[in-house]
Amino acid sequence: MLRIAFRDLGMSIQGKISYVSDYFDAQYEQSWFQKPLAKEIIRDIDQSEYIRGEYIESPVFGGIPPTSLSTGCKALLLLLNEEGIIVSGERMGDNCFKWVLEIAKEKDITITLNHGVELKEPFEAISLNTGKRITNNLDLFEETYGLCDVEEEKDS
């Protein structure tokens, strides 16, 4: 299940990994790259191939270590391999969010989100701000920009 902390709540969450690249570089393990989903993520996000150990083949740079992967790729690998972490969604490009949904099918993950994204429907997420179940992009947009709060204020 995907859990999302929106806007200001995301800024104040204790333990949120904002410096994704630094955290990844200090924490990753070689075994992370051997998972089929990890290989797919590396191939899709960075157009690179995991070969073995800490060797990844990039079409642009040749052989690279895991520390040279993009920040978005690192964020996804953290979500896939670490338990109980909260990753900043601002560190991921639009091409990463389909993988966020794939990882959320396998395990509970939490991200913060302070900008609009469009996810492939159908999907399921929970807003940590309101507890609302989000199943479509309109609900996601409303949660992202706090429009549900505005409507509640008008009704009061």
Side-chain angles (χ1 to χ4, degrees):
M1 171 65 71
L2 174 60
R3 296 181 305 253
I4 306 172
F6 293 95
R7 302 174 318 281
D8 294 336
L9 179 63
M11 300 293 188
S12 63
I13 288 184
Q14 185 132 355
K16 176 181 82 168
I17 300 170
S18 294
Y19 299 102
V20 169
S21 195
D22 293 340
Y23 185 89
F24 176 90
D25 292 354
Q27 296 296 116
Y28 80 86
E29 298 175 16
Q30 284 185 18
S31 61
W32 290 9
F33 311 109
Q34 297 167 6
K35 294 179 179 180
L37 187 55
K39 292 177 183 180
E40 287 182 59
I41 289 169
I42 293 168
R43 188 176 304 117
D44 183 54
I45 300 299
D46 285 358
Q47 290 77 51
S48 298
E49 289 292 324
Y50 170 73
I51 305 301
R52 71 183 166 283
E54 294 193 16
Y55 182 79
I56 298 167
E57 186 68 32
S58 163
V60 176
F61 303 110
I64 61 170
T67 55
S68 293
L69 291 169
S70 69
T71 302
C73 193
K74 290 177 178 183
L76 293 167
L77 292 170
L78 284 170
L79 287 168
L80 179 63
N81 290 288
E82 292 274 271
E83 297 298 325
I85 61 170
I86 301 163
V87 173
S88 174
E90 287 65 50
R91 303 298 184 241
M92 294 183 264
D94 290 343
N95 62 338
C96 293
F97 285 95
K98 73 177 183 183
W99 294 107
V100 168
L101 293 176
E102 282 300 310
I103 296 167
K105 289 178 184 175
E106 292 188 10
K107 62 186 270 194
D108 290 341
I109 59 172
T110 305
I111 65 169
T112 62
L113 199 57
N114 294 304
H115 68 283
V117 297
E118 187 173 343
L119 301 179
K120 185 175 185 288
E121 295 180 16
F123 64 88
E124 188 171 1
I126 298 291
S127 168
L128 294 181
N129 301 63
T130 63
K132 182 177 181 179
R133 186 171 165 259
I134 305 166
T135 60
N136 59 63
N137 283 304
L138 178 58
D139 289 346
L140 181 63
F141 182 85
E142 289 175 348
E143 287 290 318
T144 302
Y145 294 105
L147 298 179
C148 48
D149 299 335
V150 172
E151 290 301 316
E152 289 173 9
E153 288 175 15
K154 285 181 185 177
D155 292 342
S156 303

